[in-house]
């Protein structure tokens, strides 16, 4: 874990985001704290140029409109051509036909390095039944099965977030148990994880190890922040969580 | 008050927002802390589907563009058809003809459960003279008269926010004196109140009681947060206010 | 410094923003704390009306799209006609041809009172070579030369931000050394400075003095916040920085 994170901090990779407007500020601040550099350009005319200068790309459909879809697809294609990692976060894909179609459209044009989402979102992509509510996943089933099927169907790595995070990459199944319930009480916790995951993937290792590093570090940072004596709820948790994202892994692990 | 808030927290109603981009993050975090679930979809193609899954709808014109208006109207119509509460927050409606026309357009198509705004905004809707500056209300007059007239003209309930909040609902006039000046020093305090008001209206009681609960609880949470020893200005008030929105009513009342 | 800031707080000038969606909330909260009033209307149909009611205008291209450019230009023209200050923040102008063309388009139609940006951005406007990464400036050269040339070429004042901020206004070259590295770890620190600079320019003094006041006060507020015992990283710095922006200059200077 230490090596991946140190490498990110040494390189400060530029992560180009096409993400939702609810989380742009939080994602930028969290990624800056972590040690990478966010950029959030969204004009169709410039996304190809921006992706050409980037080290990784995050596509998040949280507040996507039809007008914005072409820029997202262009960004993904440019990243594929450059050979940099692309993370797709299909936020709320099960909630509406518009989202389902948009994600299909992206996946028909862009090869993601990782598809990352909660169980409800990723289950929907491979037609496994799962209960959702708005953009939240409230079902109950087997995330390993979902991760494996997403990885197989889309020839990608899959990260299924939840109380236990499941990673299916390069034929391996990895699990992370670090995390804290307060992450579920702040908006964009999953979205920012996507940003940090993208940053870790720029280290050029095979996907499994940096992906596990990202989710584990993120969960440990949440645990660390939640223990701070000044944290008394989701509001005070948030700034302390951002602080924690800038710390050394050893500090978060308490070693 | 306890019953309404407990019912919201037991059900975690899904509140579909078409709101302004300044406050999306703050509104989502505040509503999550309070115990409801925000969704912020804005694509015209999906708002009807999202509203069909929602328990309440908030329409806030703070940064509305002409392109976004049809999605807002569609959302309101879908909510009316489903019979779920619709709260309209006509932010800055007096500031420009564009806003005035947009709100008229919404009100010609959508029946709001509550129209909520400051005195300047609601006075403008019923042509009572009132001084405003940008999106702020700085006039001086009779909020009860404004609330009563908005309720009558638009056949709705009205919530006029201010140092004293006034609610006109079901023929009753209710008042709330809880609150704190720091709410006026953070952006989106009125907008987030709209979200929490919508959540409280999903309890299915007649409008007056849940509306009073929302504004009173909100004011008490502000008072509670402002007293925290770590709060020294609007910046530190904000996270403590979010924390306070997750507390039991009895705790906020100091009982 | 005291006079300019007191005058802003006495008048609470209305600053109309056409700014990027990453920073809208942070800019609004920071400007409110400082003592001015933000408005963020962006519909092309209303920006002229909003500018007509404003005391100053900030144009920031951070997440500009082609659709949004006409509203930005209209706002600037309306501000020029009214004779109120216009600050242009050409965020990331060197990053893509789209941004370069957009800024040229703005400058062909709008006379800014101040062009404000980091050295990479302002160097690009006057074709001085400079290294950038995404929207960050990482080059190494002479900011005084850049400021002087921007001021001359565009017949405006120039503020080049960096470890030392350089102001070229009315033929004078002014420098500010106050500041803190944590400003570089939160998103939108430069953007919010643009808002506060615009507010200070509404005092109607010649540009140099209020501009220096803005950057110096901003830097001192950052130093003051960073020293707070509850600040342990960029996350906890942010709310304390907002608090500091509401303080008396003498308090920040420790006198």
């Amino acid at each position: 874990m230490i090596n991946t994170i140190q490498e990110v901090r040494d390189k400060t990779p530029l992560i180009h985001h096409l993400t939702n407007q609810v989380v742009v500020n939080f994602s930028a601040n969290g990624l800056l704290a972590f040690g990478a550099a966010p950029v959030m350009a969204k004009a169709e005319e410039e996304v190809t140029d921006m992706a050409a200068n980037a080290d990784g790309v995050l596509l998040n459909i949280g507040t996507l409109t039809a007008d914005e879809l072409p820029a997202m697809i262009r960004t993904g294609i440019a990243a594929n051509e450059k050979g940099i990692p692309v993370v797709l976060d299909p936020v709320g894909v099960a909630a509406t036909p518009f989202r389902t179609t948009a994600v299909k459209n992206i996946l028909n044009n862009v090869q993601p390095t990782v598809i990352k989402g909660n169980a409800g979102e990723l289950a929907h992509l491979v037609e496994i039944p799962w209960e959702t509510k708005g953009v939240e996943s409230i079902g109950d089933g087997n995330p390993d099965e979902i991760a494996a099927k997403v990885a197989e169907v889309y020839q990608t790595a899959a990260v299924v977030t939840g109380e236990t995070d499941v990673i299916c990459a390069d034929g391996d199944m990895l699990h992370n148990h670090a995390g804290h319930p307060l992450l579920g009480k702040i908006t964009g916790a999953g979205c920012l994880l996507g940003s940090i995951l993208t940053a870790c993937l720029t280290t050029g290792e095979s996907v499994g190890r940096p992906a596990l590093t990202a989710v584990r570090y993120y969960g440990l940072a949440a645990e660390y922040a939640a223990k701070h004596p000044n944290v008394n709820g989701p509001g005070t948790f948030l700034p302390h969580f951002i602080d924690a994202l800038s710390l050394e892994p050893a500090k978060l692990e308490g070693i």
Side-chain angles (χ1 to χ4, degrees), chain A:
Chain A
M1 181 154 89
I2 294 174
N3 292 352
T4 300
I5 288 169
Q6 196 52 55
E7 192 179 334
V8 170
R9 289 174 180 172
D10 289 345
K11 297 196 318 176
T12 55
L14 186 70
I15 308 303
H16 186 197
H17 289 64
L18 278 101
T19 190
N20 73 73
Q21 62 178 212
V22 181
V23 306
V24 277
N25 184 271
F26 177 60
S27 296
N29 275 329
L31 193 64
L32 276 170
F34 183 63
V39 67
M40 307 279 179
K42 63 197 175 79
E44 197 180 340
E45 294 81 359
E46 70 170 342
V47 288
T48 302
D49 297 317
M50 212 50 110
N53 292 320
D55 300 298
V57 156
L58 174 73
L59 309 179
N60 171 311
I61 68 158
T63 57
L64 186 69
T65 61
D67 281 355
E68 294 169 343
L69 183 57
M72 200 172 275
I73 290 173
R74 273 196 189 209
T75 306
I77 290 172
N80 281 168
E81 284 171 359
K82 193 184 173 191
I84 57 174
V86 177
V87 172
L88 173 63
D89 190 344
V91 178
V93 63
T96 67
F98 170 74
R99 287 175 190 240
T100 303
T101 305
V103 168
K104 271 195 190 136
N105 205 333
I106 294 168
L107 286 168
N108 284 340
N109 289 282
V110 178
Q111 175 58 51
T113 313
V114 174
I115 303 178
K116 178 230 142 269
N118 61 38
E121 289 155 355
L122 267 59
H124 182 80
L125 292 185
V126 288
E127 293 169 18
I128 294 175
W130 198 275
E131 195 185 351
T132 59
K133 176 171 181 175
V135 297
E136 300 300 318
S137 164
I138 54 173
D140 182 8
N142 185 346
D144 282 40
E145 182 198 344
I146 295 167
K149 195 153 179 200
V150 167
E152 184 201 335
V153 170
Y154 297 102
Q155 290 291 299
T156 186
V159 175
V160 179
T161 57
E163 203 176 310
T164 297
D165 301 310
V166 178
I167 299 165
C168 180
D170 321 316
D172 286 335
M173 198 70 81
L174 305 165
H175 296 86
N176 165 54
H177 304 288
H180 195 278
L182 277 170
L183 286 175
K185 300 302 281 181
I186 58 170
T187 196
C191 302
L192 170 55
L193 174 57
S195 303
I196 283 173
L197 174 60
T198 312
C200 288
L201 293 174
T202 65
T203 55
E205 303 169 83
S206 64
V207 173
R209 188 185 141 129
L212 183 61
T213 292
V215 298
R216 179 161 160 73
Y217 180 90
Y218 199 75
L220 290 172
E223 291 176 11
Y224 184 91
K227 275 186 221 140
H228 195 286
N230 286 351
V231 173
N232 296 299
T236 45
F237 170 70
L238 197 151
H240 288 89
F241 178 54
I242 300 269
D243 280 0
L245 288 173
S246 69
L247 298 178
E248 292 302 318
K251 184 145 193 185
L252 299 182
E253 304 209 57
I255 54 176

